[in-house]
Amino acid sequence: MNWPVGVAGDFRGLVERASGEYVTFERTPGGAGRARRRSWTPRAAQARDGAAYDAAQEELALLDAVYGPAVDMESFLAGVTSPVAVSAPRCRTSGCAACSTR
């Protein structure tokens, strides 16, 4: 399972939950091909993306504390749990009618 680093509109990269690998993607000129993929060490990732990387690490720690470090295949196959995490980005628009941000 991958976990995003950054928020909607400011996506930085992905952390592979099982390995802890942090990967970023760089657009190719004119979108002519696949995005360039680059792996980062935790120290380099923190230096590159700071608070966004730290927030993702905190979210992953919470996920591990609640659900454990891996998908429980037995409960998944029984229809009890799902390895899919769904969330909505936080709104950063002042005065947004859909949230309490004013």
Side-chain angles (χ1 to χ4, degrees):
M1 173 185 212
N2 294 324
W3 196 260
V5 175
V7 296
D10 190 24
F11 173 73
R12 305 292 182 92
L14 295 170
V15 175
E16 170 53 46
R17 188 170 172 220
S19 68
E21 178 185 25
Y22 180 51
V23 178
T24 59
F25 303 92
E26 182 182 325
R27 294 180 184 184
T28 57
R34 292 180 108 178
R36 294 182 188 111
R37 182 182 186 275
R38 182 172 178 190
S39 294
W40 300 80
T41 66
R43 179 175 284 175
Q46 202 290 323
R48 178 185 188 268
D49 290 324
Y53 181 77
D54 292 342
Q57 291 301 312
E58 289 176 17
E59 294 161 357
L60 285 166
L62 179 60
L63 189 64
D64 285 349
V66 174
Y67 296 107
V71 173
D72 178 355
M73 288 305 292
E74 186 176 328
S75 67
F76 170 69
L77 293 173
V80 175
T81 63
S82 172
V84 178
V86 179
S87 67
R90 286 181 264 173
C91 181
R92 302 224 187 270
T93 304
S94 178
C96 176
C99 67
S100 62
T101 305
R102 299 283 177 231

